[in-house]
Amino acid sequence: MGKPVILTGLRTNAEYHLGNYLGGILPMVRMQQEHAGVYQVNMFAPDLHSFTTEVDHDTLYTQTMKNIAVFVAAGMPIDSQDFYLYRQSFIPAHSELTVILNNFAYFGELSRMTQFKDKSEGKSNVTAGLFDYPVLMAADILLYGASYIPVGDDQKQHLELTRDLAIRLNNKFGDIFIVPKDWKHQLQFSKRLEGARIRSLRNPSQKMSKSVSDPTGTILLTDTPEAAAKKVKSAETDSVGKINWDWNNQPGITNLLQIYELLTSNSHKEVLAEWTGRELYGDLKVAVAEQVSAFLSEFQSNLSKVDKNSLQKKLEASELEMANQANITLAKVQKAVGLRP
Ligand code: TYM
């Protein structure tokens, strides 16, 4: 293989929210800016993962294409030779490797995945697809030998499972996979002290998501800058009366500080120096609201300019090239497990 690989994917079956942007998209944009020329950068739509939450099959394809345009509007460089943009289901090796890996992944470890527990809780007819989704994610990563996987904190466990599977198969069959870096090195590479976990603005004990009970706690990338600023200004805080970075006692305030830190790209130290001990929560809300609305204005203007033809060409070229790369890894695995001479 050539250059080391940075890779991420975001499910594309619904509109993205600020948590997706700050956890999955922005770190990718910054990493590729910083490491252009040195790393291969893969960003893809894990469309086969769409079915793990409720999905409108009639609009899935359109929604996928809309969300792929978001990657470009957010700053991924469509013209770069080192950047590959693709749809998972267009590269059959993802599914084939998953079937093989399934036979080395344990029922017990998959049952312990927090996302599986959360998403299956209280549901009847929990699908095998939901249970198996972390194995598909492992295949997404291992096919390209990716080292760095910028994701939010909620995907940490899946990344660890990917490492476990890679190490397990390497121990049994020799070095067939590049093992992705562990969480500590992922954080170091993205110059972060902790993984991003953006909370709901209305209920900061929950993460920001598309499916929370109160939609005013979630900022969608399609919200107008004004509506988003309003959501920030009415964020739930606390009665402590002093600004502190303290997830346990002041999760609402800490959530705002986190959003501010990520959007401004000021260091954690700078953010603490600027805000710690201040008493006017309103000032912090105004500062965060300004950052969020400035980001949305620029992003939405970029989105309206994304050229659909160039996007289609980029996808087709990337899918051809990535199918070649993925098939090389798949062939190695097929040989190792005895499916090929
Ligand atoms: P998904 O589609 O649920 O989320 C996409 C990305 O958004 C991040 N994210 C958040 N980050 C911070 N705060 C939040 N509230 C928040 N909500 C979501 C997620 O951590 C993720 O980075 N299994 C993955 C998709 C996937 C993937 C992969 C990722 C499939 N194959 C291979 C990396 C590599 C998922 O369901 O993410």
Side-chain angles (χ1 to χ4, degrees):
M1 285 218 191
K3 294 177 175 164
V5 178
I6 303 173
L7 173 148
T8 205
L10 291 97
R11 281 178 305 129
T12 46
N13 50 309
E15 301 289 343
Y16 290 139
H17 53 76
L18 191 67
N20 295 132
Y21 176 71
L22 295 175
I25 302 177
L26 182 63
M28 192 65 170
V29 170
R30 295 215 172 118
M31 276 183 200
Q32 80 74 30
Q33 282 166 350
E34 195 173 333
H35 302 286
V38 182
Y39 282 83
Q40 173 179 315
V41 176
N42 287 25
M43 193 160 191
F44 73 104
D47 49 358
L48 290 167
H49 280 90
S50 304
F51 313 118
T52 54
T53 40
E54 209 154 299
V55 57
D56 178 352
H57 297 277
D58 291 337
T59 57
L60 177 59
Y61 186 74
T62 321
Q63 189 64 50
T64 296
M65 294 303 284
K66 260 169 78 181
N67 281 359
I68 289 173
V70 166
F71 303 160
V72 177
M76 296 305 291
I78 199 165
D79 296 327
S80 162
Q81 299 285 322
D82 286 327
F83 171 48
Y84 296 97
L85 181 65
Y86 52 96
R87 295 158 291 189
Q88 181 190 43
S89 73
F90 282 66
I91 304 179
H94 288 250
S95 309
E96 292 189 33
L97 182 59
T98 304
V99 174
I100 296 174
L101 290 180
N102 273 340
N103 296 286
F104 299 89
Y106 305 138
F107 183 84
E109 64 191 348
L110 293 180
S111 313
R112 285 193 295 275
M113 292 293 123
T114 314
Q115 295 249 320
F116 172 69
K117 288 197 263 183
D118 289 351
K119 288 184 176 164
S120 58
E121 199 185 336
K123 300 227 166 79
S124 50
N125 300 331
V126 173
T127 66
L130 178 63
F131 185 66
D132 195 35
Y133 129 120
V135 181
L136 177 57
M137 177 163 164
D140 299 338
I141 295 169
L142 298 177
L143 277 175
Y144 305 95
S147 300
Y148 293 106
I149 325 291
V151 282
D153 186 67
D154 60 345
Q155 298 297 318
K156 179 180 168 198
Q157 213 185 9
H158 295 162
L159 185 63
E160 279 160 358
L161 176 84
T162 303
R163 282 173 47 80
D164 290 347
L165 281 172
I167 293 168
R168 191 172 304 155
L169 272 90
N170 282 354
N171 285 342
K172 194 166 166 69
F173 299 109
D175 283 343
I176 46 177
F177 292 125
I178 292 176
V179 181
K181 303 287 181 200
D182 63 20
W183 192 246
K184 191 175 125 210
H185 288 94
Q186 300 286 343
L187 289 180
Q188 274 172 7
F189 192 70
S190 58
K191 301 193 178 72
R192 302 268 312 144
L193 296 172
E194 56 185 56
R197 179 178 287 258
I198 307 301
R199 283 21 180 215
S200 157
L201 294 168
R202 297 305 306 158
N203 181 357
S205 63
Q206 290 180 347
K207 71 171 186 178
M208 186 177 283
S209 89
K210 297 145 203 159
S211 52
V212 285
S213 46
D214 186 349
T216 59
T218 299
I219 293 177
L220 296 174
L221 299 193
T222 47
D223 281 350
T224 62
E226 298 74 29
K230 221 168 148 186
K231 287 181 181 175
V232 173
K233 286 182 185 158
S234 51
E236 176 86 18
T237 52
D238 55 67
S239 54
V240 173
K242 267 202 172 72
I243 295 174
N244 286 298
W245 186 286
D246 180 350
W247 283 118
N248 290 333
N249 301 308
Q250 296 185 262
I253 284 291
T254 311
N255 193 32
L256 292 175
L257 289 170
Q258 179 185 222
I259 295 172
Y260 185 78
E261 179 177 321
L262 290 166
L263 281 177
T264 56
S265 43
N266 291 348
S267 70
H268 186 60
K269 241 176 154 173
E270 285 166 335
V271 173
L272 294 189
E274 185 179 356
W275 293 102
T276 305
R278 286 171 62 173
E279 291 177 358
L280 295 178
Y281 287 6
D283 288 353
L284 178 60
K285 287 184 175 178
V286 168
V288 175
E290 273 169 8
Q291 289 298 329
V292 169
S293 51
F295 151 65
L296 283 178
S297 302
E298 194 191 339
F299 163 76
Q300 289 169 3
S301 153
N302 290 344
L303 188 60
S304 67
K305 290 183 212 134
V306 174
D307 176 50
K308 295 224 169 67
N309 287 330
S310 321
L311 196 63
Q312 185 64 33
K313 279 199 191 123
K314 179 76 179 178
L315 286 170
E316 286 168 13
S318 295
E319 281 155 9
L320 214 61
E321 180 63 30
M322 288 304 99
N324 285 335
Q325 279 194 13
N327 285 339
I328 292 172
T329 308
L330 180 65
K332 232 170 151 183
V333 178
Q334 287 170 326
K335 187 164 189 281
V337 300
L339 295 170
R340 295 288 183 277

